[in-house]
Amino acid sequence: MRSYGEGVIRRLRRAWDAPAAIPAPPRRVWRDWVLLAAIVVAAVLEGLLRTDLPWRWLYVAALVAVAATVLWRRTRPALMLTIDLVALGTVGLLLGTPMELYSGVLLVVLPYALLRWGGGRD
C-alpha cells in the first residue's frame, strides 16, 4: 500500500516535468510596446500628481526600471515576475513602506503570463 506522501511526490514530479502551456509563445507585437508605454506614463503621471506619497520618486524610478519586464513576459514569465517582486519588494523593505503607486497594478500581467505561458517548472 502506498503512502499519501508518495502520491504527493509523484504529482509534484509530474507538475515539474509538465511542458509549457504553449510550445512557442507568441512574438512580441505592438501591443506589448503600448503596454510598456502605458506603465511608464502612468507611473510618471502618478509621481507628478500624487504629492501625498512619501518617497514617490524612488518608487516611480523603481517601477519604470522594471517595466521593461513586460516585454519578456511570454518567453520568461517566472524570471520576469521574480525580477519585479525582488526589485519592488527590496525598495519597499529599504524604505520601510510598501509601494502605494496605483500604476503598479499594471504589472499584474506578469502573474497572468506565468499562469498562461509558464510550464511545470515555472
Side-chain angles (χ1 to χ4, degrees):
M1 182 175 235
R2 292 184 188 165
S3 71
Y4 176 74
E6 290 175 5
V8 170
I9 291 172
R10 191 172 46 252
R11 283 190 213 103
L12 287 174
R13 282 189 183 143
R14 267 189 270 153
W16 179 263
D17 293 334
I22 294 178
R27 296 178 52 221
R28 191 174 304 135
V29 294
W30 64 270
R31 292 183 304 268
D32 298 326
W33 294 99
V34 170
L35 178 62
L36 174 61
I39 292 171
V40 171
V41 168
V44 170
L45 281 175
E46 190 170 4
L48 288 171
L49 299 175
R50 291 195 58 203
T51 58
D52 61 322
L53 296 177
W55 303 102
R56 71 181 184 269
W57 289 112
L58 221 49
Y59 282 120
V60 168
L63 186 59
V64 168
V66 299
T69 58
V70 299
L71 296 176
W72 291 277
R73 71 186 186 276
R74 293 185 187 117
T75 55
R76 302 269 186 229
L79 178 61
M80 296 305 111
L81 181 60
T82 303
I83 289 170
D84 281 1
L85 292 177
V86 167
L88 297 176
T90 302
V91 170
L93 284 174
L94 291 175
L95 297 178
T97 60
M99 186 173 82
E100 297 176 2
L101 295 177
Y102 296 128
S103 53
V105 77
L106 292 173
L107 293 175
V108 300
V109 298
L110 294 171
Y112 166 76
L114 179 62
L115 294 173
R116 177 67 173 94
W117 290 290
R121 290 186 175 130
D122 293 336

